[in-house]
Amino acid sequence: MKMKAIYILLILLAPALAMAQYKGKINVTPLKLEQKGDSLYISIDINMQDVRVDTRRSVELIPVLTAPEMEKALPAVLLKGKSNYHIWQRKLTLMNRKERLGYLQDAPYTVAKGFKSKDERRITYNKVIPFEAWMKDARLDIRKDVCGCGNPPSILEVSQLAQVQLEKIVVPYTVTPHLAYITPEVEAVKRREMSGEAFLDFVVGKTDILPDYMNNPGELQKITNMMAALRNDPAVTVKGIVVSGYASPEGTLKMNQTLSEGRAKALTDYLVPKFDYPENLYTIAFGGENWAGLLEKVEASDMKHREEVIRTLTTVPAEINYRTNNSRKKSLMQLAAGVPYRFMLKEYFPHLRKAVCKVDYEVRGFNAEEAREVIKTQPQNLSLNEMYMAANTYEAGSPEFTGVFETAARMYPSDATANVNAASAALARGDTVSAGHYLEKVETPSPEYDNTMGVLMLLRDDYRQAEEYLTRAAASGSPSASRNLEELYLKLDNIRQLREQDN
């Protein structure tokens, strides 16, 4: 009798204990329980938006098909408190490949945050399972384990889905992509570099700068503007300034080096008194004979003998070959009786003599709110992680959200993380063309890359490739890929139904 009294007391206390685990109301609305051919289609709307789960607990919602003598539990929806959610994330991260594959075989339908978060906690539960004969008498219950600690689950009241009447006309299914973004690594020290070129005019044979001579005012202004912008930025600490002089190829290498270093020193002497940087931050260097600049000008021109000049510039070494007594310069001078060389000497060589000022500097770190403002005017000062934080201050999928990821890809054009995230942002607004361009730049695949490629192929109606990418991503532990596979199979089944309907 005493045990019976305890049991009755526990039953009476159960609702109160459940309420202690979470606050708010879980609203479950049946949308579909429909057999078509050899499949059973299940759709439920679960609204947990106002629910707050105790930080150490979780709420498990288990859809169960129930018939008089048979039942079948479907993958659960988990709503986790803050500590419980982070513990689950860590466990998932630490799983090896074998453990992850085992987890995926019995994984929940989805895991949602049961605490204050921008994440959507209104879930449309879509499931397609093989239809069995006993299911014709089944109903759909939602059972809940209110603490996730092994106590017997209680039944959450819900209408019987078998009574729902649905329109029988099959309409094209619209895929809902589930996109995954990569959190970039934190950049401990943000080292940056900024360069400016000045094509200065010097009196023949001289290395001193005349600020008012020919084009010098405008050329010097380019360098001083760059230096002033860095000096006036409180987030910047300059670590070094390298001033390099480049020469046109005529004359001897020794003479070119002497002139170029002299001109680089002249530019340094011009800059030192204008900015309050110590002189020991400056380094003077000889950049070399500017063959690259010459090739660029020839390729952009329609000069006579253009192809022969390009071939000489790209195949003949600049250094003298003492065995053959030949060099790039000598070959150019002998080409077509020297006509193209004399033309380049007059038209192109003066523009090859330049000074390059390269500033090496560090930028302090920014929090999310600061990064949100900095990206508007000085995106080069942000790391990818700071841009990611800034993006997440906006609503997912909004123009501002996608704009940040596009800026990140523009500032870090060869970074895989930047391009995968930009591709996901493009797909969020249905832009498959931009997404394809971003993904073409990724050389190192990842689960997020495979998921994004899978979504791209799915939206391009390339279902075979979509399945390959999404299956690989799901096997690597991507929950988004698993949900996209569900979307793929729903789409394929919808196509089959539309064909049957048309026939």
Side-chain angles (χ1 to χ4, degrees), residues 150-207:
N151 290 342
S154 57
I155 297 176
L156 186 67
E157 292 184 4
V158 64
S159 303
Q160 293 186 10
L161 294 177
Q163 298 176 356
V164 175
Q165 299 296 316
L166 299 175
E167 188 177 3
K168 300 301 180 183
I169 298 174
V170 181
V171 296
Y173 181 75
T174 301
V175 169
T176 302
H178 299 276
L179 301 165
Y181 295 87
I182 306 173
T183 304
E185 294 182 3
V186 175
E187 194 176 341
V189 178
K190 295 192 299 178
R191 204 71 181 252
R192 298 290 184 270
E193 181 180 286
M194 186 177 290
S195 296
E197 293 185 349
F199 294 89
L200 299 170
D201 293 306
F202 293 87
V203 176
V204 177
K206 301 291 185 180
T207 60

Side-chain angles (χ1 to χ4, degrees), residues 279-300:
E279 283 193 53
N280 61 10
L281 280 182
Y282 289 85
T283 301
I284 297 169
F286 173 46
E289 294 177 329
N290 195 359
W291 290 109
L294 179 59
L295 176 62
E296 185 178 328
K297 288 191 171 296
V298 174
E299 287 179 331

Side-chain angles (χ1 to χ4, degrees), residues 27 110 156 167 245 260 267 277 297 326 339 380 418 432 436 467:
N27 294 308
T110 191
L156 186 67
E167 188 177 3
S260 297
L267 178 57
Y277 297 126
K297 288 191 171 296
N326 192 27
V339 171
Q380 71 277 6
T432 58
E467 185 174 30

Side-chain angles (χ1 to χ4, degrees), residues 320-468:
I320 297 175
N321 184 329
Y322 291 101
R323 184 175 60 83
T324 61
N325 193 28
N326 192 27
S327 67
R328 183 182 298 164
K329 190 184 304 182
K330 187 173 181 180
S331 297
L332 288 173
M333 294 175 73
Q334 293 174 344
L335 178 66
V339 171
Y341 183 81
R342 289 191 293 274
F343 172 82
M344 293 186 293
L345 187 65
K346 178 183 177 183
E347 299 295 331
Y348 298 159
F349 280 28
H351 303 285
L352 303 178
R353 303 158 195 153
K354 65 178 180 179
V356 175
C357 181
K358 183 175 70 176
V359 183
D360 181 32
Y361 61 97
E362 288 182 6
V363 186
R364 73 168 179 86
F366 300 99
N367 61 35
E369 290 303 319
E370 289 174 323
R372 178 172 165 148
E373 296 305 313
V374 172
I375 198 170
K376 297 174 183 176
T377 56
Q378 295 172 297
Q380 71 277 6
N381 282 355
L382 295 179
S383 68
L384 275 177
N385 183 269
E386 290 166 338
M387 292 185 184
Y388 181 85
M389 291 192 302
N392 282 286
T393 65
Y394 297 106
E395 182 181 351
S398 66
E400 296 83 2
F401 177 86
T402 57
V404 171
F405 285 117
E406 288 171 345
T407 299
R410 188 173 68 252
M411 300 305 300
Y412 297 88
S414 60
D415 187 273
T417 295
N419 282 296
V420 169
N421 285 347
S424 293
L427 290 174
R429 64 172 190 272
D431 184 355
T432 58
V433 175
S434 295
H437 291 325
Y438 289 126
L439 291 172
E440 285 174 358
K441 301 177 184 179
V442 179
E443 296 180 357
T444 307
S446 63
E448 293 83 3
Y449 167 83
D450 285 335
N451 179 69
T452 310
M453 278 295 296
V455 171
L456 177 61
M457 294 299 107
L458 181 54
L459 296 180
R460 286 179 174 175
D461 300 335
D462 189 339
Y463 304 121
R464 182 186 61 78
Q465 285 207 70
E467 185 174 30
E468 288 179 8

Side-chain angles (χ1 to χ4, degrees), residues 91-105 447 450 471-477:
K91 286 182 178 179
L92 194 63
T93 301
L94 294 172
M95 286 181 184
N96 59 38
R97 181 177 176 83
K98 184 176 179 181
E99 291 171 337
R100 193 179 292 276
L101 289 173
Y103 168 81
L104 289 173
Q105 289 179 358
D450 285 335
T471 299
R472 185 163 61 235
S476 298

Side-chain angles (χ1 to χ4, degrees), residues 70-221:
M70 189 80 72
E71 69 175 29
K72 180 179 179 65
L74 302 174
V77 172
L78 298 181
L79 187 65
K80 289 182 171 288
K82 192 169 187 177
S83 296
N84 193 296
Y85 182 86
H86 293 313
I87 290 170
W88 167 78
Q89 276 194 317
R90 284 195 294 272
K91 286 182 178 179
L92 194 63
T93 301
L94 294 172
M95 286 181 184
N96 59 38
R97 181 177 176 83
K98 184 176 179 181
E99 291 171 337
R100 193 179 292 276
L101 289 173
Y103 168 81
L104 289 173
Q105 289 179 358
D106 196 32
Y109 181 81
T110 191
V111 177
K113 296 177 182 177
F115 50 92
K116 189 173 181 181
S117 168
K118 293 183 180 180
D119 289 1
E120 177 65 39
R121 281 184 282 144
R122 183 167 192 150
I123 298 168
T124 301
Y125 186 108
N126 291 316
K127 195 71 181 172
V128 182
I129 62 173
F131 182 80
E132 300 176 28
W134 65 269
M135 294 178 183
K136 62 184 177 62
D137 300 319
R139 69 177 189 273
L140 189 65
D141 293 335
I142 297 289
R143 298 179 185 174
K144 74 173 187 296
D145 184 338
V146 297
C147 65
C149 55
N151 290 342
S154 57
I155 297 176
L156 186 67
E157 292 184 4
V158 64
S159 303
Q160 293 186 10
L161 294 177
Q163 298 176 356
V164 175
Q165 299 296 316
L166 299 175
E167 188 177 3
K168 300 301 180 183
I169 298 174
V170 181
V171 296
Y173 181 75
T174 301
V175 169
T176 302
H178 299 276
L179 301 165
Y181 295 87
I182 306 173
T183 304
E185 294 182 3
V186 175
E187 194 176 341
V189 178
K190 295 192 299 178
R191 204 71 181 252
R192 298 290 184 270
E193 181 180 286
M194 186 177 290
S195 296
E197 293 185 349
F199 294 89
L200 299 170
D201 293 306
F202 293 87
V203 176
V204 177
K206 301 291 185 180
T207 60
D208 54 322
I209 293 177
L210 300 178
D212 297 325
Y213 183 63
M214 297 180 69
N215 295 317
N216 286 352
E219 294 297 307
L220 290 170
Q221 192 65 47

